[in-house]
Amino acid sequence: MNRRPALLAAAAMTAVAALSLSACGGGDGGTKDNDKIAGADSGDGAKKSPSASASSDGVERPKVTLPEGDELVFTPETTGDAKTDAVLRDNAEYLRAIDEAIEKQDPKSEAIVFYSKDSALLGTVEWVSGFIKDGTTVTGTVRYFNRKVVFGKDGSAGLTYCADESKGYTKDRKTKKTNVTKATKDSYVFYNDRLRKNSKGVWQVTKSTSERGSEVCQP
């Protein structure tokens, strides 16, 4: 069983198309007030994001704290190109923000709203709400690799990357039991995200699509 079952992934693709992590055993719950979300229209428990708050570009970013035992690894983290690295950084923060929101049971968290908008924001809120409904959180390690950025003439950025969820799991909040599952071809996912830089200088995810079990990402 993956962190994102096939059924839930298919449902999510209509909005954000598959985000970084998923609920083991289902949970397609959504929120009834997505239209009220600002911006929708346009491991250790104390572990915080390295780029939180004080960033080199002067933007004050929200601090992101991952759930206990949860770790996200990004390769590459930087490329040496300032513009590309800004996209990679903000996308990584978005993925961390999802895990934080799941743990804190806060689908409209400050960081979620900060790093996503449009269909991606709506889908993220629905996604996190599914974990809350199921009474689960996330743990283990997910590795994001082959991260490549291409800039469009319209000012947007396209980011493709792979996710290795073979060591990423869900955990029952009440029993504290980790749902350890065997890795399969579907533990590897290919993502294609669209981002746009807002007036604050933050690259927000606006749309995301995915292919679970993609040959591109297999070990």
Side-chain angles (χ1 to χ4, degrees), residues 26-66:
D28 55 354
T31 57
K32 297 181 180 180
D33 54 349
N34 283 345
D35 57 331
K36 299 179 182 179
I37 303 168
D41 296 327
S42 5
D44 152 337
K47 188 181 298 181
K48 292 186 174 58
S49 161
S51 62
S53 268
S55 60
S56 58
D57 58 6
V59 178
E60 185 175 351
R61 289 174 163 77
K63 293 181 179 180
V64 177
T65 303
L66 293 175

Side-chain angles (χ1 to χ4, degrees), residues 19-20 72 74 90-99 144 161:
L19 301 176
S20 63
L72 304 185
F74 298 91
D90 286 344
N91 184 254
E93 289 303 288
Y94 165 65
L95 296 173
R96 292 187 180 104
I98 293 172
D99 281 19
Y144 296 96
Y161 55 97

